[in-house]
Amino acid sequence: MHVIDALSAVLPPTRIVRDPDVLAAYSRDQAAWAPRGAAVALVRPEDAEQVRKVVAVCAERGVPIVPRGAGTGLSGGANAVDGCVLLAMDGMDRILEIDPDEQLAVVQPGVVNDRLRAEAAGHGLWYPPDPASSPWSTIGGNVATNAGGVCCVKYGVTRDYVLGLQAVTGTGDLVRLGRRTRKGVAGYDLAGLFVGSEGTLGVITEITVRLLRLPEGAPTTIVGAFDSLVAAGRAVAAVGAAGITPSALELVDRYCLRAVDDWKNMGLADLGDVLLLGRVDDGDERAAAAMLECFDRAGAAWSTRSTDAEEAEALFSARRLAYPALERLGPVLTEDVCVPRGLVPEMLARIEKHARAHDVHIANIAHAGDGNLHPLIVVPAGDDEARARAQLAFEEILDDAIALGGTVTGEHGVGLLKKRGMHAEVGEDVLALHRAIKSALDPAGIFNPGKII
Amino acid sequence: MHVIDALSAVLPPTRIVRDPDVLAAYSRDQAAWAPRGAAVALVRPEDAEQVRKVVAVCAERGVPIVPRGAGTGLSGGANAVDGCVLLAMDGMDRILEIDPDEQLAVVQPGVVNDRLRAEAAGHGLWYPPDPASSPWSTIGGNVATNAGGVCCVKYGVTRDYVLGLQAVTGTGDLVRLGRRTRKGVAGYDLAGLFVGSEGTLGVITEITVRLLRLPEGAPTTIVGAFDSLVAAGRAVAAVGAAGITPSALELVDRYCLRAVDDWKNMGLADLGDVLLLGRVDDGDERAAAAMLECFDRAGAAWSTRSTDAEEAEALFSARRLAYPALERLGPVLTEDVCVPRGLVPEMLARIEKHARAHDVHIANIAHAGDGNLHPLIVVPAGDDEARARAQLAFEEILDDAIALGGTVTGEHGVGLLKKRGMHAEVGEDVLALHRAIKSALDPAGIFNPGKII
C-alpha cells in the first residue's frame, strides 16, 4: 500500500494535507538559506495515538518523518527532505495541567511558548525559557532545539526545565521518559537526550516542565552605549569577571538599531553605535551598580539605569525585533556561535574582520552575557556573488568559534546549516557516538534524516 | 594472554593490585545489603591514557570493568562483579583548572567533593552539589550517580553543573563530550547522558563543571519540631504550596536524632520527635517568615529562626551524621524514593505503616523540600528473619513511591538494590531503550555489567 493510502487508513481525512502550496509553506523553517526537499504529505495529528499510527506506517515503509512546530527554527532543522511526511504538531496545542503546588505544567507540543507563560503567570508561576520567537514558537519546537533566550544567563535553557516527556520512538512505542518529581535518577536521562535532538530520535507528544515562582518586584535595566563592538565586548567580559549574575545581558548593534528604526520608527539609532541591555532582578542593587561601573570602565559613551518598565520594554523589544527587521532587507544567514565570555571581544573583532574581508554586511545581536553571539549576515536579495561571499564568512566564523574554545551553536541547533561546523567541532569519534545512538533509537532511520548527522 | 598479563604489559606494576584483602575492601560500596562478586584485579590509573589502555585490554577479552570513586555509593553500583577489573579512579585526583572569569573548574574524577568546594571558595566561587558524603565522595562518583544533596531544593543536582566530560568509550576512544561555554547545542547531550549512567556507558576521565559565585551573607535557619512524621510532612507540603524556595529543607526523625546523640552526645533528641531544618539565603526575609508560618500552621510543637552560624551548623551536621550513626546500630538498607512534595505526608504515613506491618525499625531522613525521602531500614546484625522482613518493606516502599507518581531513586542511583523497582517504574519499553543505548555505546558489554539494566 502506498504511504498515502496507508495514512488514510489510520487517520481522519482532514488530518492529511496534500495541497502543493500548503506543503511548500510547511516545507521550511526560518533558515532562508537552508535547502529543502519535497514532502509527499503534511499530517496534523490530534493526539499521541495518531502520531503512533503515523510512525508505524512510515517505519514499515522507510518513509522519512520530519516533525515540526511553528517553523521558527533558524537552522533548517524542520525543512522537508524528499519524499517525507511532514508531521505538524501545531494541532496538539492543549495545556493539560498546571499544578501550582508542585510547580509544574504538562503540555502538548503545539502549545505556543507565550501562551504557556501567560497561563503560568495566572497561577503566579513562570516558565523562564524565552526565545525571541516566543510569541509564535511552540514548546515542542523549543524542546527539540533546546531553545534559549534572554533569560538564560541567569535562569538556564529549555533543558533545565524539562522534567519528562512522552514520545513515540523508532520502534513505534509510545513511551514516558523522565519524571514529575523534582529529582530522579532511575536510569539514563533519556528525556534529556531527546531535548535538543531536533526530531532525529522520535516524536515528542507531551512535555512536563518545571515552573518557577513569578519574580516579584520590577527588575532594574542598565543600558550602556559604546562606540564599537569590541568595547561593548570588553564590558561583557568585565561583567563576567566581576562575578555579576545579571538576569539579562543583551547586545544590539547599529545595523540592527537602524533596521528596527526603519521599520518601527523608534529612534533607537540615536542612542549609540552598540547598545548593551543589562537587567538585574529586583533587590539586587549591588549588581546593578557593579554592572554600570563595568560599562563605564569599558569605555561606555554613556550609561544609565532605570526601573521604568515601559522604557525597558521598548529597549528589549528592539532586541526581539532585530531579526525580523533585518529580514526585511534581504535573506539573513544567522549565526549562533557561543564562546567563553572572556573571549567575546576577540570573537566580535574576528566577526568584523570577516565582514570586511568578504565584503558583506554583518549585523550583531547577542545574548552577550552567555557569550552567545548572533552575527546576522545580510545580503541583497538575488545577489548570488554576495551570497557566495556570505557563505564563506559564515563558515569562517564557525571555525573561529571552535578555535576560541566555543561552539558553532549555542541555542539554535545544528539542523542543516551547521552540520559541517558541528562535525568539525565534535570530531569523528564523537560523531560516531551520535550515529550509534541514532541507530539504536531509530533503527529504520526515519526521523528527520540528514539533520545533525 | 591472560588479562593480568595484558594489563601488566601496558601499566606500571604499582598500578595493579591483586592482594585479596585489598580487592575485598574495594569490591563494595556502602550498600551493605547489595551482593558483590570477586574481582581479578584492582587497577589504579594515573592518567586518561592508562584508562584507555585498560579499556582496550578488557574490551578485547570481554572482561568487565567496574569503575569506582570513593565507594560511598548506597545502591551497590560500585560493587565488583565476578571476574571484573576494579578501576579505582582515586589516583586521578588533580584539580586541573579553576577559571574565575568563566566560573568553571576542570577536575580529574578522583577529586573529593569538599576539596573542590574549598578550592573554589578560595576564588570566591561555589560548587553547589553537596551530598552528605562530600568529605569523602569524589566528583567522578558524584557525576556517575548524578548526586544530589541538601542544596538541590534551590540549586539543583550534579547534572545541572556538568558542562563537559572526557571519557573512554566502549570502542576504546578517548572523547570529549559537552563544552566549556555556558550554552551549547551542537549535537546530542552526550555529557548529560553519561551523568547518572553509573559507570555503564564508559569511564569518565575528566570533568568540567560550572561554578556559581559564593553566596554573600549568612543564611537564616528555620527549625520546626513536630510530634509526628506526618505533621512534619504537612509542613513540607505547605512550604511547597506557599511557593517558598528554601535553600535547604531537611527532615530528621527521632530515630536519627537518638542515634546521633548516642554517638556524639549532642542532646538532639530533646528537641522533638521530628525536626524540619529549613534554610533561606541571606536577604530572603519574607521567605523565612513564611516558612516559619507554614511550620506553625502545620502544628509544630515549637519553631524558631536563627542566623547563628554555629547553631545552624550543629543542626545540619546532625543531619549529615544520621546515616553513619545508624550504621553503628546494624546493617542499614537505604531507600531514596522521591515523590511529588504535596504527597510527602502520605508517603511518610505509608512508610510508618510498612514499618509496623513488617515489624522493622525505619528511621527517616529526607531532603524533604524535594520530596526525596530516605527511609533507613535498620535491623540487628545477624537477624536473618528481620532482614527478610526488611527486604519486603523495602520493595513495598518502592512500589508505593511509584504508585504516588514518584520514583524509586531520587539521587542515589539504581545500582543493584533498585533494579526491580526501577524496571517496575519505567516499564519494559523504556527498559528496551536503555538496553539499546547501552549496546550502542558499550558493544562488548564490559562497563559495569548487571547494574541498572
Side-chain angles (χ1 to χ4, degrees):
Chain A
M1 207 191 307
H2 187 264
V3 62
I4 302 295
D5 298 326
L7 290 171
S8 301
V10 298
L11 295 175
T14 54
R15 294 285 131 193
I16 307 172
V17 182
R18 302 201 63 195
D19 180 304
D21 292 339
V22 176
L23 289 193
Y26 277 79
S27 288
R28 47 162 296 199
D29 62 18
Q30 292 295 306
W33 294 50
R36 52 186 171 279
V40 296
L42 169 74
V43 167
R44 275 219 174 85
E46 294 164 298
D47 56 35
E49 186 50 29
Q50 288 185 359
V51 174
R52 210 187 54 71
K53 287 176 178 164
V54 172
V55 170
V57 163
C58 291
E60 199 185 326
R61 288 161 184 77
V63 171
I65 294 175
V66 177
R68 53 176 287 134
T72 57
L74 293 163
S75 303
N79 280 15
V81 300
D82 282 333
C84 78
V85 168
L86 292 166
L87 196 59
M89 304 303 288
D90 51 1
M92 289 176 61
D93 65 349
R94 283 187 299 140
I95 295 176
L96 301 171
E97 180 185 355
I98 291 189
D99 185 330
D101 290 357
E102 303 298 330
Q103 291 182 206
L104 60 81
V106 183
V107 303
Q108 290 188 321
V111 170
V112 168
N113 180 302
D114 271 0
R115 205 179 123 225
L116 172 59
R117 292 152 66 80
E119 194 82 20
H123 296 270
L125 295 169
W126 183 37
Y127 177 68
D130 58 349
S133 61
S134 66
W136 314 283
S137 66
T138 62
I139 301 298
N142 292 173
V143 170
T145 55
N146 190 20
V150 167
C151 76
C152 307
V153 64
K154 181 164 183 180
Y155 292 101
V157 295
T158 300
R159 175 174 289 117
D160 300 313
Y161 294 88
V162 174
L163 290 173
L165 298 173
Q166 187 195 56
V168 178
T169 68
T171 53
D173 294 310
L174 181 64
V175 297
R176 288 203 170 272
L177 308 175
R179 60 189 203 272
R180 271 178 77 98
T181 48
R182 296 181 69 85
K183 291 161 78 180
V185 292
Y188 301 150
D189 182 18
L190 298 180
L193 183 64
F194 268 68
V195 178
S197 64
E198 303 186 34
T200 65
L201 299 180
V203 182
I204 295 166
T205 53
E206 190 187 291
I207 302 142
T208 302
V209 294
R210 189 169 71 93
L211 303 173
L212 301 185
R213 297 293 297 183
L214 207 55
E216 289 170 7
T220 300
T221 302
I222 297 98
V223 187
F226 297 84
D227 291 337
S228 74
L229 271 180
V230 174
R234 278 199 306 266
V236 170
V239 169
I244 301 162
T245 305
S247 53
L249 183 51
E250 298 291 308
L251 177 151
V252 195
D253 80 356
R254 171 185 286 278
Y255 285 116
C256 297
L257 296 173
R258 280 194 192 145
V260 175
D261 279 346
D262 288 348
W263 185 24
K264 299 284 181 182
N265 199 23
M266 289 171 77
L268 295 162
D270 300 337
L271 295 176
D273 265 9
V274 184
L275 292 188
L276 283 184
L277 307 177
R279 194 157 62 192
V280 298
D281 287 339
D282 181 41
D284 208 354
E285 284 313 302
R286 194 151 32 166
M291 203 189 307
L292 208 56
E293 199 180 310
C294 287
F295 285 8
D296 291 340
R297 282 200 191 166
W302 60 266
S303 65
T304 184
R305 58 192 282 179
S306 158
T307 52
D308 182 322
E310 217 165 303
E311 201 171 74
E313 182 45 35
L315 287 166
F316 278 95
S317 77
R319 161 67 185 84
R320 276 195 300 275
L321 291 170
Y323 187 80
L326 286 168
E327 274 191 312
R328 296 172 68 244
L329 308 179
V332 178
L333 187 52
T334 308
E335 296 267 17
D336 176 40
V337 294
C338 189
V339 296
R341 57 194 183 187
L343 297 175
V344 166
E346 170 66 18
M347 189 69 221
L348 288 169
R350 292 189 184 201
I351 291 165
E352 290 195 302
K353 195 192 72 188
H354 291 303
R356 285 192 304 271
H358 294 288
D359 188 25
V360 288
H361 281 300
I362 304 187
N364 279 283
I365 46 179
H367 303 304
D370 287 314
N372 187 193
L373 313 181
H374 295 311
L376 304 168
I377 313 179
V378 192
V379 299
D383 184 342
D384 285 345
E385 276 184 32
R387 198 177 166 103
R389 295 196 307 275
Q391 237 137 5
L392 285 175
F394 181 87
E395 297 293 342
E396 288 175 11
I397 287 170
L398 296 185
D399 289 337
D400 273 348
I402 297 170
L404 294 179
T407 175
V408 299
T409 177
E411 58 176 12
H412 292 169
V414 176
L416 293 168
L417 291 182
K418 277 156 277 175
K419 275 172 71 172
R420 185 208 62 84
M422 177 251 181
H423 297 185
E425 178 181 334
V426 305
E428 194 46 52
D429 289 346
V430 174
L431 201 57
L433 295 180
H434 280 76
R435 289 202 191 96
I437 284 179
K438 166 78 171 167
S439 297
L441 297 190
D442 177 21
I446 56 167
F447 293 124
N448 214 4
K451 312 297 170 64
I452 304 182
I453 45 182
Chain B
M1 207 190 309
H2 187 264
V3 62
I4 303 292
D5 299 325
L7 290 171
S8 300
V10 298
L11 294 175
T14 55
R15 295 285 131 194
I16 306 171
V17 182
R18 302 201 63 195
D19 180 306
D21 292 341
V22 177
L23 289 193
Y26 277 79
S27 288
R28 46 160 296 198
D29 62 17
Q30 293 296 306
W33 294 50
R36 51 187 173 277
V40 296
L42 169 74
V43 167
R44 274 220 175 84
E46 294 164 299
D47 56 35
E49 185 51 28
Q50 288 184 358
V51 175
R52 210 186 54 70
K53 287 175 180 165
V54 172
V55 170
V57 162
C58 291
E60 199 185 325
R61 289 162 183 78
V63 172
I65 293 175
V66 177
R68 55 177 285 134
T72 57
L74 293 163
S75 303
N79 280 16
V81 300
D82 282 334
C84 78
V85 168
L86 292 165
L87 196 60
M89 304 303 288
D90 50 1
M92 291 177 60
D93 64 350
R94 284 186 299 138
I95 295 177
L96 301 171
E97 180 185 354
I98 290 189
D99 185 330
D101 290 357
E102 303 298 331
Q103 290 182 209
L104 60 81
V106 183
V107 302
Q108 290 188 321
V111 170
V112 167
N113 180 302
D114 271 1
R115 204 177 122 224
L116 171 59
R117 293 153 65 82
E119 194 83 19
H123 296 271
L125 295 169
W126 183 38
Y127 176 68
D130 59 350
S133 61
S134 67
W136 314 283
S137 66
T138 63
I139 301 297
N142 293 172
V143 169
T145 55
N146 190 20
V150 167
C151 77
C152 308
V153 63
K154 181 165 182 180
Y155 293 102
V157 294
T158 301
R159 175 175 287 119
D160 299 313
Y161 293 88
V162 174
L163 291 172
L165 298 174
Q166 186 195 54
V168 178
T169 68
T171 53
D173 295 310
L174 181 65
V175 297
R176 286 203 171 273
L177 308 175
R179 59 187 205 275
R180 271 178 77 97
T181 49
R182 295 179 71 85
K183 291 160 76 178
V185 291
Y188 301 150
D189 183 17
L190 298 180
L193 183 64
F194 268 67
V195 178
S197 63
E198 303 186 35
T200 64
L201 299 179
V203 182
I204 295 167
T205 53
E206 190 189 290
I207 302 143
T208 302
V209 294
R210 190 167 73 91
L211 303 173
L212 301 185
R213 297 293 296 182
L214 207 55
E216 290 170 6
T220 300
T221 301
I222 297 97
V223 186
F226 297 83
D227 291 337
S228 75
L229 271 179
V230 174
R234 278 199 306 266
V236 170
V239 169
I244 300 163
T245 305
S247 52
L249 184 52
E250 299 291 309
L251 176 149
V252 195
D253 79 356
R254 171 185 286 276
Y255 285 117
C256 297
L257 296 172
R258 280 192 192 148
V260 175
D261 280 346
D262 288 347
W263 185 24
K264 300 282 181 185
N265 197 23
M266 289 171 79
L268 295 162
D270 299 339
L271 295 175
D273 265 10
V274 184
L275 292 188
L276 283 184
L277 308 176
R279 193 157 61 193
V280 299
D281 287 339
D282 181 42
D284 208 353
E285 284 313 302
R286 196 154 25 169
M291 203 188 308
L292 208 55
E293 200 180 309
C294 287
F295 285 8
D296 291 341
R297 283 203 190 163
W302 60 267
S303 66
T304 185
R305 57 193 283 180
S306 158
T307 52
D308 182 324
E310 218 165 304
E311 200 172 75
E313 181 47 34
L315 287 166
F316 278 95
S317 77
R319 160 67 184 84
R320 278 194 299 276
L321 292 171
Y323 187 79
L326 286 168
E327 274 192 312
R328 296 172 69 244
L329 307 180
V332 177
L333 187 53
T334 308
E335 296 268 15
D336 176 41
V337 295
C338 190
V339 297
R341 57 194 182 187
L343 296 175
V344 166
E346 170 66 19
M347 189 68 220
L348 288 168
R350 291 189 183 203
I351 291 164
E352 290 196 303
K353 194 193 71 187
H354 292 304
R356 285 192 304 272
H358 294 288
D359 188 22
V360 288
H361 280 300
I362 305 187
N364 280 282
I365 47 178
H367 304 304
D370 287 314
N372 186 192
L373 313 182
H374 295 312
L376 305 169
I377 314 178
V378 192
V379 298
D383 185 341
D384 287 344
E385 275 184 33
R387 199 177 166 103
R389 294 198 306 274
Q391 237 138 4
L392 284 176
F394 182 87
E395 298 294 342
E396 287 175 12
I397 288 171
L398 296 184
D399 289 337
D400 272 348
I402 298 169
L404 294 179
T407 174
V408 299
T409 176
E411 58 177 14
H412 291 170
V414 176
L416 293 168
L417 289 183
K418 278 155 275 176
K419 277 171 69 172
R420 186 210 61 85
M422 177 250 182
H423 299 183
E425 177 181 335
V426 306
E428 196 44 53
D429 290 345
V430 173
L431 201 57
L433 296 180
H434 280 76
R435 289 202 191 96
I437 284 180
K438 167 78 173 167
S439 298
L441 298 189
D442 177 21
I446 57 168
F447 293 124
N448 214 3
K451 312 297 169 65
I452 303 182
I453 46 181

